[in-house]
Each structure stands twice: as C-alpha cells, then as structure tokens.
C-alpha cells in the first residue's frame, strides 16, 4: 500500500473533484426526487381518477426494478427512442425518477397517517379540500415524513456511485482511474472514499435522528 503516492496532491485533488460531482448530482437529484415524490404521493393519496392507477403501476414498476437497470434505460434505451440526454442529466434523471418513486410511498404513508378525525373537523369548520390539505394534512404529515425522507436521501447519495457504469466522472469513477496508476493505490483510495461517504452520510443520519426525536 502506498498512501503517500495515492494521496499525492494530483490524485487527491482528482478524487475530491469527483466527490464534488457526487455531491452536486446528489443535491440536484434530491430536489427533483422530492418534488416528484411529493406530487406522486399526493395524487395517490387523493386517489385522482385514472392518474391514481397509472401512477401506481409506474411506481410499483420502478420500486421493484434495480436502480442499475433504470440508469441503463435512461442512458442507453432513451436515445434509441430519440431522447438523448447528456451524461450529467441522464444520471440525475435516473436517480430522480427512481428515488422519487420511493419518496412517493413515504409521502403517501405520511398523509395516510393523519387522523381522519382532524380532517373531518377541518372540513366541518368550512375549509375546502385544498385548504384542509394545505393547512391541516400536509403540516401534520410532514413532521412524520421528514426522518424517513432524509434516510432516503442518504441512500440517494450512496446510489450516485452506480452512475460509474455510464462513466459519470463522480468519485468512484475518478478513484478507478487513480487505482489504474498503481495497484498500491487501491486500498488507500478506497479508504478515502469510505471516509468521505461516511462524513456526509453520518451528518445526514444525525439530522434524521434529531428530526425523528422532535417528531416523536
């Protein structure tokens, strides 16, 4: 093992550059997956005709397929159909769609956990359905949804490493290039990757636990 060589400034900066790409892709995917998951989960909770069953099929399909297959589909199959996305946006699209399906179930479960008595009381007081959703259901459900959603975001950050299969220049992609320079760099570079992933994910897990304690 050659820690000095593996952690030379050129190698270290190259790996950190890939880690920056990992964080950037994860951040954008988190925003999009949350928006998509909230929309899908709310529509399924409201049981909107036609859309409810359509989205149920799509969500169940995505949740029961590996993310790797979703990435391949977005990057390889869509161009055959005439939809070609840049590597960066293909990765974000795959992660957002897959994680959005997961988050939609968290949102739907959180909305269903709101006591029906509170909903009926709000409606009987003169609030419309949309007002009840905005002022009563969503605020109550959000407090219960935040911890599992943050946990899903942690999974999303780790899942960005799967984008190495389509050569996204994220951390694991850059680490593989560094490892190609010398077999003595393999273990030191993997240790560095583990440390970087741990720091970010541990920070997110602390946030999730604190939010869970507040909503308990």
């Amino acid at each position: 093992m050659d820690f000095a060589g593996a952690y030379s400034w050129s190698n270290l900066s190259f790996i950190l550059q890939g880690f920056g790409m990992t964080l950037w892709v994860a951040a954008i995917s988190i925003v999009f997956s949350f928006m998509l998951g909230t929309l899908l989960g709310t529509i399924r909770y409201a049981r909107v005709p036609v859309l409810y069953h359509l989205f149920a099929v799509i969500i169940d399909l995505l949740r029961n397929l590996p993310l790797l297959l979703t990435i391949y589909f977005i990057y390889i199959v869509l161009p055959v159909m005439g939809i070609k996305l840049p590597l960066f946006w293909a990765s974000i699209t795959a992660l957002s769609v897959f994680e959005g399906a997961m988050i939609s179930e968290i949102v739907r479960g959180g909305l269903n956990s709101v006591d029906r008595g509170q909903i009926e009381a709000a409606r009987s007081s003169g609030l419309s359905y949309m007002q009840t959703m905005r002022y009563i259901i969503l605020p109550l459900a959000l407090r219960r949804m935040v911890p599992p959603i943050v946990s899903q975001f942690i999974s999303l950050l780790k899942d960005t490493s799967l984008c190495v299969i389509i050569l996204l220049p994220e951390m694991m992609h850059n680490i593989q290039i560094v490892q190609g320079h010398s077999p003595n760099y393999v273990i030191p570079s993997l240790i560095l990757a583990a440390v970087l992933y741990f720091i970010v994910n541990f920070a997110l897990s602390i946030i999730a636990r604190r939010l869970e304690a507040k909503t308990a």
Side-chain angles (χ1 to χ4, degrees):
M1 291 185 294
D2 182 4
F3 283 87
Y7 296 160
S8 66
W9 173 245
S10 59
N11 287 339
L12 190 60
S13 61
F14 187 60
I15 292 173
L16 292 177
Q17 181 181 355
F19 188 55
M21 173 64 75
T22 293
L23 296 179
W24 185 230
V25 169
I28 297 177
S29 300
I30 283 173
V31 173
F32 286 164
S33 64
F34 178 74
M35 293 170 59
L36 179 61
T38 301
L39 176 63
L40 296 178
T42 303
I43 289 176
R44 292 198 66 195
Y45 169 78
R47 303 186 72 86
V48 177
V50 181
L51 293 180
Y52 172 83
H53 297 289
L54 175 62
F55 289 158
V57 172
I58 295 174
I59 290 171
D60 288 340
L61 178 64
L62 289 170
R63 292 178 66 239
N64 288 285
L65 291 177
L67 174 57
L68 202 60
L69 188 59
T70 304
I71 295 173
Y72 272 131
F73 182 87
I74 297 294
Y75 186 67
I76 297 176
V77 178
L78 284 188
V80 176
M81 301 168 60
I83 305 174
K84 183 173 178 58
L85 297 174
L87 181 60
F88 179 78
W89 288 108
S91 302
I92 290 176
T93 301
L95 289 168
S96 299
V97 168
F98 183 84
E99 299 296 342
M102 302 297 179
I103 292 174
S104 70
E105 289 301 286
I106 297 175
V107 171
R108 187 167 71 98
L111 294 173
N112 283 328
S113 69
V114 177
D115 183 58
R116 299 298 302 181
Q118 293 177 303
I119 299 174
E120 293 171 358
R123 295 303 303 274
S124 63
S125 66
L127 293 179
S128 66
Y129 178 81
M130 293 304 298
Q131 289 174 324
T132 302
M133 177 68 73
R134 178 180 177 182
Y135 297 113
I136 305 298
I137 302 176
L138 283 176
L140 290 173
L142 185 60
R143 289 198 292 268
R144 302 169 186 175
M145 291 188 292
V146 168
I149 286 179
V150 173
S151 297
Q152 195 62 46
F153 290 161
I154 292 174
S155 296
L156 188 155
L157 176 62
K158 292 184 289 186
D159 287 343
T160 57
S161 62
L162 293 177
C163 294
V164 70
I165 63 170
I166 58 174
L167 303 181
L168 177 72
E170 47 79 56
M171 182 169 64
M172 294 309 299
H173 171 270
N174 289 7
I175 280 179
Q176 288 181 348
I177 294 177
V178 170
Q179 291 172 350
H181 295 162
S182 171
N184 294 323
Y185 294 170
V186 173
I187 294 179
S189 61
L190 290 178
I191 290 175
L192 177 59
V195 170
L196 292 174
Y197 274 125
F198 176 79
I199 290 173
V200 177
N201 287 328
F202 185 67
L204 290 175
S205 66
I206 291 176
I207 294 174
R209 286 198 294 268
R210 289 184 176 179
L211 290 173
E212 189 173 7
K214 289 181 179 180
T215 57

